Amino acid sequence: TFPVVLEQVIPIIQNDELYLIDQMGIQLPCLSNSPLSQWQLLALSGGVSIKIFCEWDGKKLLPLGAAHLGRWIDFSIYVERNTANYRY
């Protein structure tokens, strides 16, 4: 996995899946930390672009935290440590 910082992306939920939309309208698929972190990410953005720190596994992003209006929200506490695709 690789660390990635994405600026000016908008989180959305479509068909119960989390995506980040970049400035060009490209939807980037995300792994789900938990339903709570998905809704926190949506609430934090309020429908506007934010900065998100993720891990990229080559297929999907795993949001670990986000910054918006001077606030930092840590989503890594929701990551399941026994996920086969990730080593912690």
Side-chain angles (χ1 to χ4, degrees), residues 2-50:
F2 302 95
V4 177
V5 175
L6 301 172
E7 294 195 33
Q8 299 185 359
V9 292
I10 300 172
I12 64 163
I13 293 181
Q14 197 171 61
N15 299 325
D16 293 327
E17 298 287 331
L18 180 64
Y19 293 89
L20 301 176
I21 300 177
D22 69 10
Q23 291 178 316
M24 296 181 357
I26 297 172
Q27 291 186 4
L28 307 166
C30 296
L31 292 168
S32 175
N33 293 353
S34 75
L36 178 59
S37 67
Q38 287 183 8
W39 291 110
Q40 281 188 317
L41 190 54
L42 290 174
L44 179 68
S45 78
V48 298
S49 60
I50 59 176

Side-chain angles (χ1 to χ4, degrees), residues 50-88:
I50 59 176
K51 180 188 287 189
I52 300 178
F53 176 71
C54 305
E55 284 185 357
W56 172 248
D57 70 0
K59 295 179 185 175
K60 291 188 175 185
L61 295 162
L62 178 64
L64 298 176
H68 182 58
L69 299 175
R71 294 182 59 207
W72 174 257
I73 304 297
D74 183 6
F75 298 124
S76 64
I77 60 172
Y78 299 109
V79 175
E80 291 183 23
R81 302 298 184 194
N82 296 327
T83 303
N85 295 336
Y86 291 91
R87 288 182 238 144
Y88 296 93

